């Protein structure tokens, strides 16, 4: 029986390492058996002997797949002239992190408040077409110093993992609609190997108006430890035989 090609020989790990070296404060490799998480160098060494049949990549979106100074999903959706001024005014204090102590909402409440503002002030204008325009026209705002843009190597990484049929779970406290529109605008397809676990804008089929945001309560930067429960079928049925999880993000949660 032929041994499955290693990740390094196929180039996937090299590309992932290039992205991770730029983004992650640390990259974690989790074994299904419960082996403690490893640091980046140890994870890379472990992966060098793994095969593509064993790998799952879990990756954050904002400032991980996108550049470290990039506008984030909430910057894009709450700071553009395409949405009402009342929404921009409501989002302004949420997006101003110049003094974190003065941010008006903490923890999950920040995302809950953002969703309330969107449903109250932008339900009529935040259509799928507007979402597609947002990724092109969002200004610099909040903590961003440049528009939303991909991190160098990210498009190549996603394309190579698609070629190898390596499962990719994009976990984001932003918006799946923004992520999909942004990647599509840059000709980065979301292949069948990719699942996006993020907040979803729900639109009326006839009018296109925003009618809700799912899930409720929202996916936030404070509850990503629920990733496994939110995607249990994906992990335990679709990809139950895969053993190695490469988690690449700015600040990994303690567990998924």
């Amino acid at each position: 029986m032929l041994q499955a090609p290693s990740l390094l020989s196929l180039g996937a790990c090299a590309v992932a390492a290039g992205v991770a070296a730029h983004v992650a404060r640390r990259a974690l490799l989790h074994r299904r058996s419960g082996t403690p998480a490893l640091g980046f160098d140890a994870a890379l060494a472990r992966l060098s002997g793994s095969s593509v049949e064993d790998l799952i990549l879990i990756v954050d979106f904002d400032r991980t797949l996108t550049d470290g100074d990039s506008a984030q999903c909430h910057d894009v959706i709450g700071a553009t002239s395409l949405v009402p001024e009342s929404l921009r005014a409501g989002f302004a204090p949420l997006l101003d992190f110049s003094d974190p102590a003065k941010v008006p909402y903490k923890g999950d409440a920040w995302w809950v408040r953002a969703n309330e503002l969107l449903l109250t002030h932008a339900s009529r204008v935040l259509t799928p077409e507007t979402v597609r325009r947002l990724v092109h026209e969002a200004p610099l705002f909040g903590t961003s110093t440049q528009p939303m843009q991909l991190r160098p190597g990210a498009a190549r990484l996603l394309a190579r993992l698609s070629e190898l049929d390596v499962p990719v779970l994009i976990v984001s406290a932003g918006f799946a609609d923004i992520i999909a529109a942004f990647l599509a605008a840059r000709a980065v397809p979301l292949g069948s190997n990719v699942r996006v676990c993020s907040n979803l804008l729900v639109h009326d089929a006839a009018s296109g108006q925003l009618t809700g945001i799912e899930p409720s309560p929202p996916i936030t930067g404070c509850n990503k430890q629920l990733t496994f429960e939110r995607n249990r079928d994906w992990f335990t049925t679709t990809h139950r035989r895969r053993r190695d999880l490469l988690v690449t993000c700015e600040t990994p949660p303690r567990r998924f």
Side-chain angles (χ1 to χ4, degrees), residues 3 27-28 30 84 87 95 101 104-105 162-163 191 217 229:
Q3 184 178 6
L28 303 180
H30 295 268
L87 177 65
L95 299 177
Y105 296 89
S162 179
E163 292 172 5
E229 290 301 324

Side-chain angles (χ1 to χ4, degrees), residues 126-150:
L126 200 54
T127 63
E129 175 58 29
T130 301
V131 169
R132 288 189 286 271
R133 291 179 61 191
L134 284 172
V135 299
H136 295 287
E137 302 182 25
L140 302 178
F141 197 82
T143 57
S144 62
T145 59
Q146 61 188 22
M148 183 179 281
Q149 65 180 29
L150 280 172

Side-chain angles (χ1 to χ4, degrees), residues 44-250:
L44 183 59
R46 174 77 64 82
L47 281 172
S48 66
S50 297
S51 72
V52 291
E53 283 81 4
D54 283 336
L55 181 67
I56 293 176
L57 176 66
I58 301 178
V59 61
D60 183 34
F61 180 75
D62 281 322
R63 300 188 176 178
T64 300
L65 286 177
T66 60
D67 190 80
D69 295 319
S70 181
Q72 303 185 64
C73 285
H74 283 83
D75 295 323
V76 167
I77 212 166
T80 171
S81 60
L82 297 178
V83 298
E85 193 281 329
S86 58
L87 177 65
R88 300 198 303 274
F91 257 71
L94 295 181
L95 299 177
D96 183 4
F97 292 96
S98 58
D99 184 353
K102 294 183 179 180
V103 176
Y105 296 89
K106 308 295 184 182
D108 292 346
W110 189 97
W111 280 266
V112 171
R113 178 55 178 163
N115 287 357
E116 290 172 349
L117 289 169
L118 290 172
L119 292 169
T120 300
H121 298 283
S123 60
R124 293 188 178 184
V125 300
L126 200 54
T127 63
E129 175 58 29
T130 301
V131 169
R132 288 189 286 271
R133 291 179 61 191
L134 284 172
V135 299
H136 295 287
E137 302 182 25
L140 302 178
F141 197 82
T143 57
S144 62
T145 59
Q146 61 188 22
M148 183 179 281
Q149 65 180 29
L150 280 172
R151 185 177 297 279
R156 181 183 168 211
L157 169 65
L158 293 174
R160 185 60 174 147
L161 293 172
S162 179
E163 292 172 5
L164 298 173
D165 199 30
V166 172
V168 177
L169 182 64
I170 299 175
V171 180
S172 174
F175 296 96
D177 313 73
I178 294 291
I179 294 169
F182 173 79
L183 293 175
R186 285 145 187 84
V188 181
L190 289 177
S192 60
N193 65 309
V194 178
R195 172 181 283 199
V196 178
C197 176
S198 188
N199 298 295
L200 182 67
L201 303 177
V202 180
H203 296 97
D204 178 78
S207 67
Q209 293 185 8
L210 180 67
T211 59
I213 301 173
E214 296 179 348
S216 180
I219 296 171
T220 78
C222 305
N223 62 25
K224 288 185 179 179
Q225 73 274 11
L226 300 176
T227 295
F228 178 79
E229 290 301 324
R230 291 174 176 139
N231 300 275
R232 177 179 287 273
D233 64 317
W234 194 80
F235 284 109
T236 62
T237 303
T238 309
H239 304 299
R240 66 184 182 279
R241 297 186 183 278
R242 293 180 179 264
R243 300 179 300 133
D244 294 332
L245 308 183
L246 177 63
V247 182
T248 306
C249 47
E250 184 180 15

